[in-house]
Amino acid sequence: MNILTSDISFFICTIAVLLYCVFYYYNGKSPQRARSRVFEILMFNMLFASISALVCEILDFFHSPEENFFNYMQEFFLTSYFVFHSLLAPFFALYVVLVNNWGELKSLKGMILFISPALFLEIFVLTNPLTGFVFYYQDNVIFTRGPMELLIYAEAVGYLAFTVRQILIYKAVLIKSNFVALCFFIACSCFGVAVQFFCPWFKLELFAEALSLLGVLLLIEKEDAHTDVMTGVYNRQMFIADNKRHIQSGRKYVVMVITLANFKMFLRMVNGESLNDAVREIVFWVMRNIQGTVYRIEQDRIAVITTASRLECDNFAANFRAMMQSRNFFEDKSLVLSTSIDIVSVPSEIDSVELLVELGDEDRGSVNSGFLLHREEHIEKVKRRVEIEKILQKAIQNKSFEVYYQPIWNAETGMFDCAEALVRLFDANNGSISPREFIPIAEQNGMIGEIGGIVFSKVCEFLRAAEPKKFGLKYVDVNLSVFQLYLENTDILFKNVMSKNGISADQIHLEICDSEMFSEDAVVQAHYQKLRELGFVFSLDNFAMGYANLIQVIQKQYQHLKLSESLLQNAEQPEMKQLLFEVTNLVRKFRFDVVQKGVETQKQLEMVLEAGANKIQGFYYSKPLEAHAFVEFIRNQNATTNPVHI
């Protein structure tokens, strides 16, 4: 007796493919979603159906016209096959719905209507040994299809139509690989069903379905490209993709973003693996304590998409705060991770993926300890930030930044022989946007390099076209963000722009704002030296209010030191006035130019001149002016040795 027939070979191959799916799935398990649980049901459903079909086919060799044990066992396993296999179509349809982020099954009524046909047919399958409606053995020998078997095929066609409709409706919100995998499953399964329906002796259906399930496993369930390696949860790309699909499909949900505010500071303080262990522990705690999908969208930000209520999310935030206060993640118990949580409802509070990605960004890099819970009031800040980023992108594209010039009076010559170039941004809908608002945003998102290049080019074009040198202008201070010194090509860009406009480096002084990064970062220092080699002179802004000390000032060979207006504004206090005088005198002893910023009144002018400042900048003489107005100003003012304040 040759048991290994072609049908049995197909069933064995089917089981082998499904066992491989099970092993591969659980060996490198991806983050769990609701759809993943349905996929597991599909795998085991198909595996049990295949095992039942294989056993039934083997028992066929022992089938007898007379009632015996093997006949009963064959009928049992054949019934089992129909029980499992008839559920394949509804479970796959449910899987597609979950891939589409619930599609049309948002209500209890929709779910009941969805599962009713499957439950109805399962009753007929389970009672088939009594009724023979699905199948029976004619004369106890010949397998014969009952009238209800056609209804099973009709049910499968109905669920297939529903599935195809879901895929077509939500095609726009599907990842391309998901769309391909679902289409492959349908095509492969339909081919197997059609072959077996018209050729019942050719048992290809289960094998074709197993191959299609393998395709779904590899393209949808195994999401290595969308998974954070360290924690095993989804990454930033998947967070963006999921939110796009949720928003486009009209789903209502909540997004929570947990920010480890002082994470970057800890990178320099503790062992890297210890910090990674802390992040993993936090991620796993989040997964255990909230129903939803967890993402690691940055090394210091963890996000959750959940359908939990706002009250449940608030309770989660309270529990998270208690956990962070009670846990010691490092051997040194004095080291505490600072955290914040942003909670927003989508789409009622935020309906933009760009805004969701920005949540918690303002807290990154904070050195403050503790816990912050951001609610509705923080959302407006996030919206404003994203709006400013869009305005900046448009302004960079159109090079629509404007440069104003604020004259600086030289007390030794009585001339306005220099000025500071100040960037201005105007938007048709928002009006004038303060540099104090858009510069920090540009520094954080990397746009500052392009903005700095545009400003430098406009200043060079101004010096070439307006020829302010004829009216006594020696140089213009151009602000240089420390972030521009991280860019490899800043020196090359400046050199090319000056060459194009016929400008020499002594006509432009680069003004650096005092900061810790400029004092310590080796890359910044290397690029600083390259600019010095091009002949640039540097000024230090906000001296005495930042990180630089006099030794560093001497080492960096600054020519001008600008004193912060905050020193002057508080100079009515005796201690602050004394500080102003002592700082100014000390700097002048080393023959640095002292530029006092923020001078607005005659009294302030007299005070800073008495202190020893030799250059004055402020509204007392002039506000920042447009290029043509500035040229007119210095032409008129430098014609006399008695400048008039305006």
Side-chain angles (χ1 to χ4, degrees):
M1 179 174 59
N2 182 18
I3 294 182
L4 197 60
T5 64
S6 60
D7 292 342
I8 291 178
S9 298
F10 268 123
F11 293 143
I12 292 174
C13 291
T14 300
I15 293 171
V17 171
L18 293 171
L19 287 175
Y20 172 80
C21 289
V22 171
F23 174 79
Y24 186 71
Y25 179 83
Y26 287 105
N27 186 51
K29 199 171 183 180
S30 294
Q32 284 292 290
R33 302 184 185 223
R35 75 170 192 222
S36 297
R37 290 188 284 272
V38 175
F39 182 82
E40 291 174 351
I41 294 173
L42 277 170
M43 276 196 308
F44 287 106
N45 180 287
M46 201 176 296
L47 180 61
F48 293 149
S50 301
I51 293 173
S52 298
L54 175 62
V55 174
C56 187
E57 195 69 25
I58 294 173
L59 289 174
D60 195 51
F61 289 97
F62 305 97
H63 195 87
S64 171
E66 299 178 358
E67 297 287 344
N68 60 30
F69 172 77
F70 294 109
N71 289 12
Y72 290 124
M73 291 301 297
Q74 186 179 28
E75 185 175 7
F76 170 79
F77 280 104
L78 191 56
T79 302
S80 299
Y81 164 78
F82 277 104
V83 167
F84 291 118
H85 196 255
S86 61
L87 291 173
L88 180 61
F91 273 125
F92 180 68
L94 178 59
Y95 181 77
V96 171
V97 168
L98 293 175
V99 170
N100 288 340
N101 299 310
W102 284 106
E104 297 177 349
L105 301 185
K106 300 174 184 177
S107 65
L108 179 61
K109 180 181 178 181
M111 182 62 75
I112 292 174
L113 291 173
F114 177 79
I115 64 174
S116 294
L119 294 177
F120 176 75
L121 283 176
E122 280 300 292
I123 294 174
F124 283 98
V125 173
L126 290 171
T127 58
N128 183 74
L130 301 177
T131 63
F133 286 164
V134 179
F135 69 89
Y136 61 93
Y137 285 93
Q138 186 176 352
D139 298 328
N140 211 29
V141 175
I142 303 174
F143 172 82
T144 305
R145 292 173 173 174
M148 296 303 296
E149 186 173 3
L150 292 176
L151 194 57
I152 292 176
Y153 278 101
E155 175 222 34
V157 171
Y159 278 114
L160 175 63
F162 174 85
T163 302
V164 171
R165 180 175 178 271
Q166 287 285 303
I167 293 174
L168 294 178
I169 289 176
Y170 295 100
K171 179 182 177 182
V173 301
L174 277 173
I175 298 175
K176 184 177 179 180
S177 60
N178 290 6
F179 177 76
V180 171
L182 296 177
C183 291
F184 173 75
F185 186 99
I186 292 173
C188 199
S189 299
C190 287
F191 173 75
V193 170
V195 169
Q196 190 160 326
F197 181 80
F198 293 106
C199 306
W201 61 88
F202 192 36
K203 305 296 177 61
L204 183 65
E205 182 178 357
L206 281 172
F207 183 67
E209 291 166 349
L211 289 178
S212 62
L213 193 70
L214 177 61
V216 171
L217 170 64
L218 296 176
L219 291 176
I220 298 181
E221 288 302 310
K222 301 310 294 181
E223 299 172 312
D224 294 341
H226 302 133
T227 303
D228 178 63
V229 176
M230 192 187 79
T231 60
V233 298
Y234 290 113
N235 59 18
R236 179 187 180 92
Q237 288 72 27
M238 185 55 73
F239 177 73
I240 293 172
D242 281 350
N243 276 292
K244 284 182 178 179
R245 292 198 299 274
H246 289 323
I247 292 172
Q248 290 183 32
S249 61
R251 190 178 184 188
K252 296 180 180 179
Y253 59 101
V254 175
V255 169
M256 294 189 290
V257 175
I258 300 170
T259 303
L260 309 179
N262 54 356
F263 180 90
K264 291 185 178 179
M265 181 181 73
F266 274 67
L267 284 173
R268 295 178 289 178
M269 297 174 59
V270 301
N271 177 273
E273 190 56 37
S274 298
L275 191 56
N276 290 341
D277 289 340
V279 173
R280 277 191 287 264
E281 188 174 344
I282 292 171
V283 168
F284 296 153
W285 185 93
V286 172
M287 294 174 66
R288 292 192 302 269
N289 287 272
I290 190 71
Q291 288 187 345
T293 306
V294 181
Y295 310 78
R296 190 182 185 210
I297 58 177
E298 300 282 356
Q299 61 177 353
D300 52 0
R301 285 195 296 163
I302 301 160
V304 180
I305 292 179
T306 177
T307 55
S309 67
R310 285 302 290 265
L311 178 60
E312 290 174 314
C313 292
D314 287 342
N315 291 335
F316 167 84
N319 294 334
F320 179 80
R321 178 180 185 179
M323 182 275 293
M324 293 298 295
Q325 291 175 341
S326 63
R327 296 283 179 90
N328 294 317
F329 294 103
F330 311 105
E331 292 183 5
D332 186 348
K333 296 183 179 179
S334 64
L335 299 177
V336 179
L337 277 170
S338 301
T339 56
S340 67
I341 296 184
D342 291 80
I343 303 176
V344 297
S345 296
V346 184
S348 59
E349 293 177 334
I350 286 182
D351 60 358
S352 165
V353 177
E354 292 175 319
L355 294 174
L356 293 172
V357 172
E358 293 289 337
L359 290 174
D361 198 60
E362 289 186 359
D363 296 321
R364 302 173 68 191
S366 171
V367 297
N368 298 323
S369 61
F371 173 85
L372 292 173
L373 175 60
H374 296 308
R375 298 178 186 271
E376 293 81 358
E377 66 276 3
H378 187 67
I379 296 173
E380 295 305 318
K381 294 182 180 179
V382 176
K383 290 181 177 179
R384 176 65 175 175
R385 176 188 174 88
V386 173
E387 184 178 16
I388 294 298
E389 287 183 345
K390 291 180 179 179
I391 294 171
L392 287 174
Q393 289 171 350
K394 182 179 178 181
I396 290 172
Q397 183 179 357
N398 299 329
K399 295 184 178 181
S400 57
F401 293 96
E402 296 186 22
V403 179
Y404 279 49
Y405 299 87
Q406 186 169 31
I408 298 176
W409 181 63
N410 189 328
E412 296 173 348
T413 64
M415 302 280 286
F416 291 93
D417 58 7
C418 56
E420 180 179 356
L422 299 166
V423 63
R424 294 293 183 262
L425 177 60
F426 299 92
D427 179 69
N429 298 322
N430 294 271
S432 177
I433 301 172
S434 170
R436 293 185 178 181
E437 182 178 17
F438 72 79
I439 292 296
I441 295 175
E443 289 180 333
Q444 290 179 9
N445 63 23
M447 296 181 185
I448 193 64
E450 294 172 286
I451 296 173
I454 292 171
V455 171
F456 189 86
S457 296
K458 286 181 178 288
V459 171
C460 288
E461 292 168 3
F462 164 72
L463 292 174
R464 172 180 56 81
E467 297 184 343
K469 190 176 182 178
K470 295 187 301 184
F471 307 115
L473 187 75
K474 294 180 178 180
Y475 65 87
V476 173
D477 280 331
V478 176
N479 287 282
L480 182 70
S481 168
V482 67
F483 292 94
Q484 288 176 262
L485 292 175
Y486 280 99
L487 304 176
E488 290 290 340
N489 64 343
T490 297
D491 58 322
I492 298 174
L493 172 65
F494 286 5
K495 181 180 178 180
N496 292 339
V497 171
M498 288 191 300
S499 176
K500 177 182 177 181
N501 290 278
I503 302 299
S504 60
D506 62 350
Q507 293 178 265
I508 295 177
H509 290 187
L510 299 179
E511 185 174 312
I512 292 284
C513 187
D514 189 7
S515 72
E516 183 180 16
M517 286 187 295
F518 181 69
S519 302
E520 297 182 357
D521 195 281
V523 174
V524 169
Q525 291 305 314
H527 292 162
Y528 169 76
Q529 290 302 326
K530 288 183 180 180
L531 290 171
R532 285 193 59 82
E533 291 169 3
L534 289 177
F536 284 109
V537 171
F538 281 81
S539 304
L540 181 65
D541 196 13
N542 288 334
F543 178 69
M545 301 300 292
Y547 292 88
N549 55 47
L550 196 55
I551 295 176
Q552 292 171 327
V553 168
I554 295 172
Q555 290 176 339
K556 299 292 190 304
Q557 299 179 334
Y558 295 114
Q559 185 166 326
H560 315 285
L561 301 184
K562 288 193 172 184
L563 301 187
S564 172
E565 52 263 61
S566 60
L567 273 176
L568 185 59
Q569 291 169 356
N570 297 312
E572 293 183 359
Q573 303 173 19
E575 297 84 358
M576 294 302 295
K577 182 177 181 180
Q578 182 180 356
L579 176 62
L580 173 66
F581 272 65
E582 290 183 356
V583 169
T584 305
N585 285 324
L586 179 62
V587 172
R588 290 294 290 150
K589 285 180 181 179
F590 287 90
R591 298 185 179 180
F592 292 107
D593 284 334
V594 173
V595 182
Q596 179 59 64
K597 295 166 47 179
V599 177
E600 297 182 356
T601 66
Q602 179 70 31
K603 183 178 180 181
Q604 289 178 336
L605 176 64
E606 293 172 355
M607 183 189 302
V608 297
L609 289 176
E610 182 184 353
N614 61 318
K615 294 194 175 183
I616 309 300
Q617 179 180 353
F619 278 29
Y620 178 78
Y621 284 122
S622 175
K623 64 181 181 180
L625 302 170
E626 293 181 87
H628 68 279
F630 169 73
V631 172
E632 187 68 17
F633 176 87
I634 60 173
R635 186 176 69 83
N636 294 332
Q637 291 293 321
N638 287 343
T640 175
T641 57
N642 297 311
V644 179
H645 74 273
I646 58 176

